[in-house]
Amino acid sequence: MEDKNFEDNTLNPEHILKNIVEIVTGMVSLIPEIPELEGMSTTELYVFLFSATFDNVSNGTLAKQLNISKAAVSIATKSLIKKGLIKTIQSEEDRRHFYIVLSDEGKSLYKQLLKAFEDIFNKILSSLSKEELSNLQLGFEVMVKFSRMLNEYKMSDRGDKIWS
């Protein structure tokens, strides 16, 4: 596939990366000031959020999805278990595998986070027009698709050469 030359800077890799960093840091700043969240390392926060939003999460899945070592995931997982925010459950299909799920305390914290995030988000979104909201929703869907495509590329032979 040939490289595409773009006349404007909207799809310039450096411009895209700058926008991604701005979006990520902006979204992270929306995480409300909740003491239990403030005391978490970045890895713990990612493990907590990923466990809250996806099913059948294992240490291996987390390491692969978050692009961090299994050891780092294990340290974060143990810390979150100690804090009472997550627990492990044994797979019914394969008793050698364990999944990470939120504990009751973790579910309560996630609901608190979600409510605070929803309040902040609703205040921000109320200033947008219907067209802007529609564009934002489409933008989120395209970003998720793009993210999945990046993950697929990363897992392919071609991506392995770049990420190794």
Side-chain angles (χ1 to χ4, degrees):
M1 185 164 114
E2 290 183 20
D3 287 341
K4 296 180 180 179
N5 293 318
F6 297 99
E7 308 239 342
D8 60 21
N9 273 340
T10 57
L11 291 177
N12 172 298
E14 184 176 10
H15 184 75
I16 292 170
L17 183 58
K18 186 176 180 179
N19 286 339
I20 290 171
V21 169
E22 187 173 338
I23 289 167
V24 169
T25 55
M27 290 300 208
V28 169
S29 71
L30 286 178
I31 294 175
E33 295 176 5
I34 299 172
E36 295 89 348
L37 296 175
E38 290 177 353
M40 288 184 191
S41 70
T42 303
T43 304
E44 289 172 342
L45 180 62
Y46 286 155
V47 168
F48 176 76
L49 291 174
F50 206 90
S51 300
T53 54
F54 293 95
D55 294 328
N56 297 330
V57 176
S58 67
N59 277 3
T61 302
L62 286 165
K64 193 178 285 187
Q65 289 297 316
L66 300 174
N67 199 30
I68 55 178
S69 70
K70 286 183 182 179
V73 170
S74 182
I75 290 168
T77 301
K78 287 177 184 175
S79 176
L80 290 170
I81 289 171
K82 188 175 178 181
K83 292 176 182 180
L85 297 174
I86 63 170
K87 60 185 180 180
T88 57
I89 56 169
Q90 193 171 35
S91 167
E92 292 180 13
E93 295 82 35
D94 186 343
R95 306 200 43 75
R96 297 171 295 172
H97 290 94
F98 289 86
Y99 297 112
I100 300 164
V101 297
L102 295 183
S103 64
D104 289 340
E105 188 177 334
K107 288 176 186 176
S108 176
L109 177 60
Y110 182 69
K111 284 180 184 176
Q112 184 182 354
L113 166 66
L114 198 55
K115 174 70 174 118
F117 187 75
E118 181 181 351
D119 291 345
I120 293 167
F121 220 64
N122 285 336
K123 286 176 187 171
I124 293 168
L125 294 180
S126 67
S127 66
L128 298 177
S129 69
K130 285 187 177 188
E131 182 181 1
E132 288 172 321
L133 289 170
S134 178
N135 288 339
L136 182 62
Q137 179 62 36
L138 180 61
F140 282 137
E141 291 169 10
V142 171
M143 287 301 296
V144 168
K145 180 179 178 181
F146 181 70
S147 177
R148 289 178 180 155
M149 291 168 66
L150 282 174
N151 280 332
E152 288 173 14
Y153 182 80
K154 179 181 164 187
M155 298 303 161
S156 72
D157 288 341
R158 190 169 180 196
D160 286 342
K161 292 175 187 168
I162 293 172
W163 269 276
S164 53

